[in-house]
């Protein structure tokens, strides 16, 4: 299904770092499942009885395994999905949070680890297979793009719990769907269908629920077949569009574009095109 890739030491992923990360993952995973599908790392949020609600343990395991895949030169893309057919994640774990005080939250920096996903170089696809509410919607938006089952529902219902989105919902949701609709959903707690999420640009594509995982793995496989350092550069440039002015972003993009010409893979990619062959990227 996927093209095989050389186990090259790629930009930012020295073998020693990979080994070090592997050593640190000795304890068994209790809230997620992780597996390799060729060059794709698949992570499944696995608390189906709680609709995959984000407990502190789940978040710690998720971040740990994403970072482990990111440090692995044989992994070129990551897919995150939810177990069962009902939910990607129905939010942060309300029952775990319910007794916490302000000081508990502050001292534990609750869910602060999720910020680390933003510095991961390997592209992360959220395959949203049902409810993506509250922290679940925020987790999906933290990923690089979202593929949604036609049954998926998105929303930030924290207002109904007497709180507000705390993992980026007021910021990323607003940038994705526009102020007016984001404000309506954040203030009412209502949900958005997968189709509306696609129309508004929150979601890249909507696919039949039964095909979602295969589609996500296939899409991830296409990304993993490209040059990893070039993919990382392209990802960084797109993300910069959200953090800077157009003029600054265009200058940044031009500098990165020129710098791709210092790589082996640009030479290989263009030579292969001219020779009507498939490129042999070495991640160099
Ligand atoms: N936390 C903890 N448990 C949850 C949960 C959550 N976020 N969402 C669902 N569950 C649990 C339910 O308590 C229930 O457990 P029991 O069987 O032990 O009672 C089980 O999952 C199944 O849920 P429901 O019976 O409620 O299923 P449903 O189909 O009737 O409703 C739902 C589905 C609309 C998603 C509903 O479960 C719901 O509204 N969940 C909460 C959604 C929410 O408010 N999310 C925001 C959380 S706060 C947050 O995320 C803050 C932040 O920004 C960081």
């Amino acid at each position: 299904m996927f093209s095989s890739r050389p186990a090259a030491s790629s930009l930012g992923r020295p073998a020693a770092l990979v080994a070090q990360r592997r050593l640190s993952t000795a304890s068994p995973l209790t809230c997620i499942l992780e597996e390799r599908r060729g060059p794709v790392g698949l992570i499944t949020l696995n608390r189906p009885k709680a609709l995959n609600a984000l407990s502190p343990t789940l978040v710690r395991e998720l971040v740990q395994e994403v970072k482990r895949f990111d440090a692995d030169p044989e992994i070129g893309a990551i897919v995150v999905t939810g177990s069962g057919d009902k939910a990607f994640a129905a939010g942060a774990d309300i029952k775990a949070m319910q007794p916490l005080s302000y000081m508990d939250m502050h001292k534990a920096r609750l869910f602060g680890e999720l910020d680390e996903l933003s510095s991961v170089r390997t592209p992360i696809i959220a395959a949203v297979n049902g409810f993506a509410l509250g922290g679940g919607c925020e987790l999906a938006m933290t990923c690089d793009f979202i593929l949604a089952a036609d049954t998926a529902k998105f929303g930030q219902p924290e207002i109904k719990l007497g709180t507000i989105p705390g993992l980026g919902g007021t910021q990323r949701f607003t940038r994705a769907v526009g102020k007016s609709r984001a404000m309506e959903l954040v203030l009412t707690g209502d949900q958005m269908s997968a189709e509306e999420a696609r129309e508004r640009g929150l979601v890249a594509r909507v696919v039949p629920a039964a095909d979602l995982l295969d589609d996500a793995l296939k899409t991830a496989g296409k990304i993993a077949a490209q040059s990893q350092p070039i993919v990382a550069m392209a990802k960084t440039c797109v993300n910069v569009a959200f953090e800077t002015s157009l003029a600054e972003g265009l200058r940044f993009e031009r500098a990165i574009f020129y710098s791709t010409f210092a790589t082996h893979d640009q030479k290989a990619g263009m030579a292969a095109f001219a020779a009507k062959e498939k490129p042999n990227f070495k991640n160099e």
Side-chain angles (χ1 to χ4, degrees), residues 1-8 10 13 36-42 69 72-79 121-125 145 215-232 265 279-283:
M1 184 175 177
F2 302 112
S3 60
S4 61
R5 296 174 59 78
S10 65
R13 298 174 193 183
R36 284 155 186 275
R37 300 283 187 100
V40 177
L42 172 62
F69 280 141
D72 185 336
E74 291 182 15
I75 294 293
I78 298 167
V79 172
R121 280 181 165 166
T122 309
I124 309 173
I125 301 173
F145 62 94
D215 192 306
L217 290 169
K218 204 168 154 193
T219 305
K222 273 191 205 170
I223 295 168
Q226 311 305 325
S227 162
Q228 289 178 10
I230 304 297
V231 162
D265 288 346
N280 180 21
F281 292 134
K282 291 187 173 171
N283 299 327

Side-chain angles (χ1 to χ4, degrees), residues 26-57:
S27 53
L29 300 170
T30 57
C31 297
I32 68 166
L33 305 171
E34 64 90 29
E35 60 186 293
R36 284 155 186 275
R37 300 283 187 100
V40 177
L42 172 62
I43 293 180
T44 306
L45 312 178
N46 192 33
R47 301 183 69 213
K49 286 185 184 157
L51 302 186
N52 303 321
L54 309 181
S55 64
T57 305

Side-chain angles (χ1 to χ4, degrees), residues 184-208:
E184 184 181 18
L185 262 59
V186 167
L187 299 187
T188 62
D190 287 350
Q191 296 172 13
M192 179 184 280
S193 70
E195 196 46 43
E196 183 186 347
R198 187 195 60 75
E199 282 166 13
R200 292 181 179 276
L202 176 66
V203 156
R205 276 185 301 112
V206 176
V207 296

Side-chain angles (χ1 to χ4, degrees), residues 32-130:
I32 68 166
L33 305 171
E34 64 90 29
E35 60 186 293
R36 284 155 186 275
R37 300 283 187 100
V40 177
L42 172 62
I43 293 180
T44 306
L45 312 178
N46 192 33
R47 301 183 69 213
K49 286 185 184 157
L51 302 186
N52 303 321
L54 309 181
S55 64
T57 305
L58 183 147
V59 168
R60 183 175 42 72
E61 291 180 355
L62 169 68
V63 171
Q64 168 191 292
E65 293 307 303
V66 166
K67 285 166 73 177
R68 196 167 66 81
F69 280 141
D70 190 41
D72 185 336
E74 291 182 15
I75 294 293
I78 298 167
V79 172
V80 178
T81 194
S83 63
D85 53 9
K86 206 169 163 185
F88 173 74
D93 190 322
I94 300 166
K95 294 166 193 168
M97 284 188 299
Q98 188 255 326
L100 300 181
S101 68
Y102 167 77
M103 264 308 149
D104 293 332
M105 302 283 278
H106 180 77
K107 284 183 181 165
R109 299 173 62 127
L110 201 73
F111 303 130
E113 290 151 297
L114 272 181
D115 296 345
E116 294 178 45
L117 296 187
S118 304
S119 57
V120 166
R121 280 181 165 166
T122 309
I124 309 173
I125 301 173
V128 173
N129 53 313

